Amino acid sequence: MKRFPQGGKLRIFDCRGVARDPGQSPLLKSTPFEEDLMKAIGGHIKKGYEFQDTSIQEDSEFYRHNPTFSDKMHCVLFVINAERVLGGEHDVIVRIQNCLQDFNIPIRVVLTRVDKLCRAGELNGIFRNEKVKSKVEEAKKIFRSHDCQVLPVANYVSGTTQNITQDVLALLAINNIVQEALLYIGNEI
């Protein structure tokens, strides 16, 4: 695994999921959440900000006027339930993806709960499982992604013993995400 340049640190930003308000028209340009999310990706939102019903204003103490490269995001993850890849959020995802393409920021799709698509104890064949393959293909279409960008993982819900296959899936996903972020950093600096 590559090392971060100049001893940089890995920071993770987490926010609520993207969802279209049932009363919102799909033709609407964007919501305050989407506007804030794009500002966060661009490095304009400082730590401690909580997303509101209205978009952050430039006079807010949490607004950063001149973000540095290290303030910006270097890879964006979409975490999607494999049992229900996407509902009415498709238009929101497309708007976010278009913005990410403008920034040239890579994305990854983490497909959770793939263990629910397999019979009990069949995680070893997860990449050959037809249901999982079908959900990966569905996610690839929605997110305009390639095979290596859709990362199936099993959830850690219950269990008292270690499951090596489950751990390997999670580690493969983490490695893929970090390597993509490092590649982006290397190309941008």
Side-chain angles (χ1 to χ4, degrees):
M1 184 181 280
K2 289 183 181 178
R3 301 191 64 132
F4 285 103
Q6 296 134 13
K9 297 177 184 173
L10 173 68
R11 289 185 294 173
I12 297 174
F13 174 84
D14 183 29
C15 68
R16 72 170 174 82
V18 296
R20 181 162 41 97
D21 181 352
Q24 176 189 339
S25 165
L27 302 176
L28 185 65
K29 272 275 196 213
S30 64
T31 64
F33 171 78
E34 291 171 62
E35 291 170 12
D36 281 355
L37 184 58
M38 293 302 103
K39 289 173 185 170
I41 290 168
H44 290 283
I45 293 183
K46 296 178 184 177
K47 183 178 179 178
Y49 175 74
E50 291 188 24
F51 284 68
Q52 309 288 322
D53 292 335
T54 59
S55 186
I56 190 170
Q57 300 301 307
E58 290 188 17
D59 61 352
S60 168
E61 66 180 294
F62 294 104
Y63 188 86
R64 182 180 292 113
H65 290 275
N66 299 306
T68 65
F69 181 73
S70 64
D71 294 323
K72 299 175 184 180
M73 293 190 193
H74 305 115
C75 186
V76 173
L77 309 179
F78 292 94
V79 180
I80 304 296
N81 179 344
E83 294 178 296
R84 188 187 80 75
V85 172
L86 210 54
E89 304 88 4
H90 188 262
D91 52 319
V92 178
I93 297 297
V94 168
R95 285 194 298 269
I96 293 170
Q97 282 182 296
N98 289 339
C99 185
L100 293 173
Q101 283 180 334
D102 291 345
F103 288 134
N104 200 30
I105 296 175
I107 69 161
R108 290 294 182 263
V109 179
V110 176
L111 206 56
T112 65
R113 300 175 62 96
V114 294
D115 49 313
K116 300 294 184 187
L117 301 176
C118 301
R119 286 196 293 244
E122 287 190 1
L123 278 178
N124 288 340
I126 202 157
F127 294 105
R128 293 183 302 273
N129 182 292
E130 290 303 319
K131 289 180 184 175
V132 174
K133 282 182 183 180
S134 172
K135 293 298 181 175
V136 167
E137 288 301 317
E138 189 177 342
K140 282 171 42 181
K141 284 181 189 170
I142 291 168
F143 290 93
R144 303 182 303 223
S145 301
H146 304 286
D147 282 333
C148 66
Q149 295 173 301
V150 179
L151 312 168
V153 297
N155 280 25
Y156 289 88
V157 177
S158 63
T160 56
T161 59
Q162 186 175 13
N163 183 325
I164 298 299
T165 305
Q166 195 171 8
D167 295 345
V168 167
L169 288 172
L171 291 171
L172 284 171
I174 291 167
N175 184 56
N176 182 298
I177 293 161
V178 170
Q179 292 302 319
E180 186 62 26
L182 288 171
L183 182 64
Y184 172 77
I185 291 168
N187 289 337
E188 295 294 317
I189 57 173

